Amino acid sequence: MADLRTRYLGLDLRSPLVASSSPLTGSLDGLRRLEAAGAGAVVLPSLFEEELAEDPGPVGADSQAGQPDQAGYGAGPAAYLSLVEQAKQHLSIPVIASLNGTSRGGWVRHAARLEQAGADALELNIYYVSSRPGLSGGEVEGNYLDVVRAVRQAIGIPLAVKLSPYFSSLANLAGQLVEAGANGLVLFNRFYQPDLDIEALQVLPALDLSSSAELRLPLRWIAILHRRWGVSLAASTGVHTATDVVKVLLAGADVAMMTSALLHNGPDHLRPVEMRLRDWMDRHRYETVDQLRGRLSQRSVPDPAAFERANYIKTLASRTAPSR
Ligand SMILES: Cc1cc2nc3c(=O)[nH]c(=O)nc-3n(C[C@H](O)[C@H](O)[C@H](O)COP(=O)(O)O)c2cc1C
């Protein structure tokens, strides 16, 4: 039977299927179900910078303040620390805590508390919508790097940075993030984009789940960044099926993260995905994930430029206009 073991952020995982940050990973019950269904690791929901204005005190000092099953969004730092502790107590797979913030500040110290609570690694989710015309792209990126350096200094556990795809020179920024202390990159986060209600004339928050069609963007960047700087790569956005998992592994990902598919189908969705991944590996005579990882990365394919083309005349021409 195919060996699914992989390494991510220096951690040994029994499978490359990872449950990314979502309400499903915000309760002990959800985490246990994900582990039982075969998740190789779990990423807890983010603790947000806004929630960290007040100092939570040492780990365990306020464990009554939040029960682990209620540690979802906005439950506060004490409940979050309690969830990390409980998860570590009850799960045998790695538990990755998540912090979401955009500025350097006191909240960064909280990273150390997540480490003390037992988190195996930390995922730092930085997303800043830069709407100030006076703020340059370079300044925005400089701010990202400052946050990463500050968090890196606060912890000894591995650090992954979860990014959005909206940068002018992503490969350059990725290298700088690694230099600033990131051990892994999660490509990519997916944010709600506001919509408009044309009857009520209001701006609406809108959060739709992803589909496999959205896999192409992380696929391209995983393929481009594979085996650079020794950084771990996690594919996030659009991983729904075993086919999607095979694609991101072939592109060079260390793990395939899922949220929408698990929210839509429940944690047990991991079982058929794992089974089909094994089937595919058997049919193609791959015994380990390492053997197939990166086989279609940019460095491994005969036409590396295929990953860089934005407009390819043959592709564009293949879409003919309707005859009418
Ligand atoms: C309801 C919901 C809540 C999420 N919460 C978080 C979060 O707290 N922190 C985070 O980094 N990403 C969060 N995400 C983003 C997911 O972890 C994931 O990166 C994104 O949904 C793309 O993956 P997918 O296509 O598998 O859904 C959330 C997504 C959804 C749908």
Side-chain angles (χ1 to χ4, degrees), residues 19-23 43-48 73 98-100 123-125 162 186 188-191 207-211 214 235-240 257-263:
S20 33
S21 211
S22 84
V43 188
L44 305 185
S46 296
L47 184 56
F48 288 79
Y73 297 84
S98 168
L99 271 181
N100 183 314
E123 189 174 284
L124 179 63
N125 176 358
K162 189 170 187 180
V186 182
F188 295 104
N189 205 344
R190 183 173 176 273
F191 297 88
L207 177 66
D208 302 318
L209 297 181
S210 72
S211 73
E214 293 173 53
S236 173
T237 296
V239 180
H240 285 245
M257 292 190 167
M258 283 191 209
T259 283
S260 292
L262 297 175
L263 285 174

Side-chain angles (χ1 to χ4, degrees), residues 203-223:
V203 181
L204 296 173
L207 177 66
D208 302 318
L209 297 181
S210 72
S211 73
S212 291
E214 293 173 53
L215 189 71
R216 306 274 182 80
L217 192 57
L219 197 62
R220 159 183 272 173
W221 284 103
I222 296 278

Side-chain angles (χ1 to χ4, degrees), residues 25-285:
T25 59
S27 73
L28 191 54
D29 177 55
L31 293 168
R32 280 177 151 152
R33 290 174 63 199
L34 289 161
E35 179 177 60
V42 284
V43 188
L44 305 185
S46 296
L47 184 56
F48 288 79
E49 180 180 346
E50 301 91 288
E51 298 176 70
L52 298 173
E54 285 168 27
D55 192 313
V59 174
D62 192 17
S63 56
Q64 299 308 311
Q67 294 305 312
D69 272 6
Q70 299 160 1
Y73 297 84
Y80 196 91
L81 289 172
S82 179
L83 179 69
V84 176
E85 287 171 349
Q86 294 285 317
K88 280 306 295 171
Q89 215 176 321
H90 293 279
L91 305 188
S92 55
I93 54 175
V95 173
I96 302 173
S98 168
L99 271 181
N100 183 314
T102 55
S103 63
R104 257 179 74 176
W107 69 276
V108 164
R109 283 198 310 272
H110 206 88
R113 297 198 168 96
L114 299 177
E115 178 176 12
Q116 285 160 29
D120 294 291
L122 180 68
E123 189 174 284
L124 179 63
N125 176 358
I126 320 176
Y127 183 50
Y128 176 68
V129 178
S130 176
S131 58
R132 270 172 45 205
L135 191 65
S136 73
E139 286 169 281
V140 173
E141 292 186 7
N143 195 32
Y144 272 58
L145 296 169
D146 283 347
V147 175
V148 171
R149 277 187 212 104
V151 173
R152 176 72 283 167
Q153 275 171 17
I155 57 170
I157 50 177
L159 173 65
V161 178
K162 189 170 187 180
L163 287 175
S164 84
Y166 310 122
F167 292 95
S168 319
S169 186
L170 192 62
N172 177 274
L173 177 65
Q176 291 194 67
L177 288 168
V178 174
E179 219 167 276
N183 307 102
L185 299 173
V186 182
L187 308 172
F188 295 104
N189 205 344
R190 183 173 176 273
F191 297 88
Y192 87 79
Q193 312 285 357
D195 202 354
L196 297 184
D197 180 330
I198 63 168
E199 297 306 325
L201 299 185
Q202 278 176 355
V203 181
L204 296 173
L207 177 66
D208 302 318
L209 297 181
S210 72
S211 73
S212 291
E214 293 173 53
L215 189 71
R216 306 274 182 80
L217 192 57
L219 197 62
R220 159 183 272 173
W221 284 103
I222 296 278
I224 291 173
L225 297 179
H226 175 62
R227 283 186 43 209
R228 286 190 194 265
W229 317 293
V231 72
S232 289
L233 295 175
S236 173
T237 296
V239 180
H240 285 245
T241 64
T243 303
D244 299 334
V245 175
V246 171
K247 285 181 185 175
V248 297
L249 294 175
L250 286 171
D254 297 291
V255 293
M257 292 190 167
M258 283 191 209
T259 283
S260 292
L262 297 175
L263 285 174
H264 185 70
N265 303 297
D268 280 339
H269 179 66
L270 289 170
R271 294 177 199 273
V273 171
E274 180 182 314
M275 198 183 72
R276 288 176 192 138
L277 171 61
R278 286 185 194 281
D279 279 354
W280 183 91
M281 288 174 67
D282 288 345
R283 275 192 290 117
H284 291 265
R285 302 196 191 294

